[in-house]
Amino acid sequence: MFRVEPVTLEGKLVRLVPLTFQHVNALCDVGLDASLWTWTPVQISDCDGMRAFVEEALAEQRAGNALAFATTLRESGQVIGATRFMSIVPAHRRV
């Protein structure tokens, strides 16, 4: 059976850890520059928007449609961003 559940992924430089609300403040520190959101369907300009972004990502994850991650530096654990695997369809084993 194909299950969608949080997992940690690690490379040489970064670690993707399951996204939580505890990441919101750190994401606000690195993710409120308007230029980061130029080519995205959402525009996040304040911490309330970032909290809503995380809330939506986690709701999609609970629904089994996405896996949400905080992107961290492997050595220090510093949060440098967020990413998701989206449009998950377990029946088709597709992400």
Side-chain angles (χ1 to χ4, degrees):
M1 167 138 201
F2 185 82
R3 294 186 334 215
V4 178
E5 54 190 43
V7 63
T8 297
L9 303 173
E10 188 171 306
K12 284 181 164 182
L13 301 176
V14 299
R15 180 178 292 129
L16 302 181
V17 298
L19 185 66
T20 69
F21 283 111
Q22 285 72 39
H23 294 113
V24 170
N25 289 337
L27 288 170
C28 288
D29 290 343
V30 299
L32 296 182
D33 183 330
S35 68
L36 296 172
W37 303 97
T38 300
W39 306 110
T40 65
V42 296
Q43 305 296 308
I44 299 174
S45 59
D46 58 29
C47 285
D48 287 338
M50 187 64 74
R51 178 169 272 289
F53 176 80
V54 170
E55 191 171 300
E56 178 186 335
L58 295 177
E60 287 293 315
Q61 183 168 285
R62 284 189 302 274
N65 300 322
L67 280 175
F69 301 94
T71 306
T72 65
L73 292 176
R74 186 174 168 211
E75 276 192 27
S76 67
Q78 177 187 355
V79 174
I80 58 171
T83 191
R84 278 186 263 184
F85 291 138
M86 299 175 72
S87 301
I88 296 173
V89 181
H92 298 167
R93 299 181 55 86
R94 180 192 84 190
V95 173

